[in-house]
Amino acid sequence: MSEKFDIPYKSSFVPAVLEPSAKIKFNCHKGISCFNACCKHADIQLTPYDILRLKENLGISATEFLKNHTVPFEMDKDGVPGVKLRTDHGGACHFVSDEGCSVYKDRPTACRYYPIGHMALKEVDAPEDEIRYFLIQEDHCKGHGEACEIAVDDYRDEQETGLYDQVNREWLQLMLKKRSAGPTIGRPSDTSLQFFFMCCYDLDRLRRFVLADPFKASYDMKDAFYETVEKEDLALMQFGVRLLKQVLFGDVTIPLKERAVEKRVKQRRDILEMRKKAEIELYKRKQEQQMKDALS
């Protein structure tokens, strides 16, 4: 029997576009009557950097974190994979306690921003995307009734979103590019979707992939690069986004070795030819054995 998860939790909010200097009234603290209420109905999508921080906080591998603390979902109609924090059957985040968030210093981007939502938008003729902010107002939240007033940018500083925004930016731009491309790209193959999941979320599998001989035979990278990604998760994560851009959208920033593609095609052709010969040989042996059995 499959496990049941109450994801996603549907939040009703009143969107209000905010300038970075706009002020909001909001304060969340342990003494407020709704403390922990939002965490008990959690619908938290994770970015690659969120996963990196959380798995380090827990002292486990990325693969183990994905298995035990997340659930997959499809981010769009093409099946592009995303991950959300796993909740209990009632929808509560596994990291919430009576004292608040047990992983607070490494809490996800969405948790840091709440009650401010943000998204990247790009106009058709604009040279680059812009971040838009809006206010999330849920019925259960009493924080909006607090007297504390703070500007959006000051709230972001207070919640230490700067590093998260910086590291997440290239990945968010990749998501925006996929969304903007629309039907011109089409639904990716299952292999492409698995590759996307590995590059974005599963650092352990990505590291094995990058350090394997077939990758080294295809890409012209210096020894220092391999030494870095073998040890540093952040560098590996950022490289994963670059690799996705190149493989999915042809944004070539990672040099290929000369004639690498031709060699790979030839290797595959040779392997297929060897398999074909082996199958023919096996068929002949079966035929011979059947002939011997019939004559005996």
Side-chain angles (χ1 to χ4, degrees):
M1 182 176 179
S2 62
E3 292 182 273
K4 173 182 177 296
F5 303 106
D6 284 334
I7 289 180
Y9 170 75
K10 300 296 185 182
S11 298
S12 59
F13 63 86
V14 179
V17 176
L18 301 171
E19 294 295 327
S21 59
K23 292 188 176 182
I24 63 170
K25 281 189 174 182
F26 181 79
N27 189 24
C28 181
H29 52 90
K30 192 175 179 180
I32 201 167
S33 61
C34 63
F35 187 66
N36 281 347
C38 55
C39 304
K40 292 178 180 177
H41 296 286
D43 179 23
I44 305 300
Q45 180 179 347
L46 299 175
T47 70
Y49 188 55
D50 292 336
I51 293 170
L52 189 157
R53 291 284 295 259
L54 287 168
K55 69 99 175 173
E56 288 183 350
N57 182 292
L58 299 173
I60 58 179
S61 68
T63 303
E64 187 178 354
F65 176 81
L66 290 167
K67 178 182 178 181
N68 296 328
H69 298 287
T70 72
V71 290
F73 77 106
E74 294 185 354
M75 290 195 286
D76 62 18
K77 62 181 178 58
D78 291 329
V80 173
V83 293
K84 292 187 178 185
L85 274 182
R86 181 176 294 201
T87 67
D88 64 18
H89 292 297
C93 174
H94 286 178
F95 300 124
V96 66
S97 68
D98 291 340
E99 297 300 314
C101 177
S102 63
V103 292
Y104 186 78
K105 72 181 181 67
D106 295 300
R107 64 197 183 281
T109 307
C111 302
R112 290 173 182 273
Y113 263 97
Y114 188 85
I116 296 172
H118 70 296
M119 64 175 65
L121 296 174
K122 186 178 184 298
E123 301 295 338
V124 176
D125 298 325
E128 58 184 31
D129 59 286
E130 294 182 5
I131 301 297
R132 302 286 175 84
Y133 303 102
F134 54 91
L135 188 65
I136 299 171
Q137 292 181 299
E138 297 177 294
D139 294 338
H140 69 262
C141 182
K142 308 303 179 185
H144 299 281
E146 296 286 292
C148 179
E149 190 175 66
I150 187 170
V152 171
D153 269 351
D154 292 336
Y155 185 76
R156 291 175 56 243
D157 288 342
E158 182 182 272
Q159 299 300 314
E160 300 179 340
T161 66
L163 177 59
Y164 281 73
D165 289 342
Q166 178 185 341
V167 178
N168 287 330
R169 183 169 177 76
E170 197 167 3
W171 181 76
L172 291 172
Q173 287 176 334
L174 180 66
M175 300 300 99
L176 182 61
K177 188 170 185 177
K178 168 63 180 68
R179 188 165 69 243
S180 300
T184 59
I185 296 297
R187 182 180 176 88
S189 66
D190 289 342
T191 300
S192 295
L193 294 175
Q194 292 174 19
F195 184 76
F196 182 97
F197 188 92
M198 176 187 72
C199 288
C200 289
Y201 311 120
D202 195 341
L203 286 173
D204 305 316
R205 194 151 56 99
L206 177 60
R207 178 171 281 116
R208 292 194 296 271
F209 176 81
V210 170
L211 296 179
D213 289 339
F215 182 92
K216 293 180 178 180
S218 299
Y219 293 94
D220 192 10
M221 308 298 288
K222 298 184 182 301
D223 291 342
F225 162 78
Y226 292 108
E227 292 172 3
T228 298
V229 297
E230 186 174 11
K231 300 174 183 176
E232 299 180 15
D233 284 344
L234 181 57
L236 178 64
M237 186 201 81
Q238 292 171 323
F239 178 76
V241 175
R242 285 179 58 200
L243 186 59
L244 268 181
K245 283 185 176 181
Q246 181 153 323
V247 172
L248 298 184
F249 295 103
D251 185 4
V252 181
T253 62
I254 307 167
L256 284 166
K257 286 188 175 179
E258 187 177 358
R259 302 181 63 83
V261 175
E262 292 88 340
K263 288 179 182 177
R264 193 183 310 168
V265 171
K266 184 180 183 303
Q267 286 174 349
R268 289 176 179 173
R269 189 186 300 121
D270 291 344
I271 291 172
L272 289 174
E273 186 63 28
M274 289 174 62
R275 287 178 178 172
K276 184 178 179 180
K277 289 180 179 179
E279 289 173 358
I280 292 173
E281 184 65 25
L282 180 62
Y283 176 77
K284 287 181 178 179
R285 289 179 182 177
K286 286 183 177 179
Q287 290 292 96
E288 291 174 359
Q289 185 61 46
Q290 288 176 358
M291 183 69 71
K292 288 180 181 179
D293 293 342
L295 294 174
S296 61

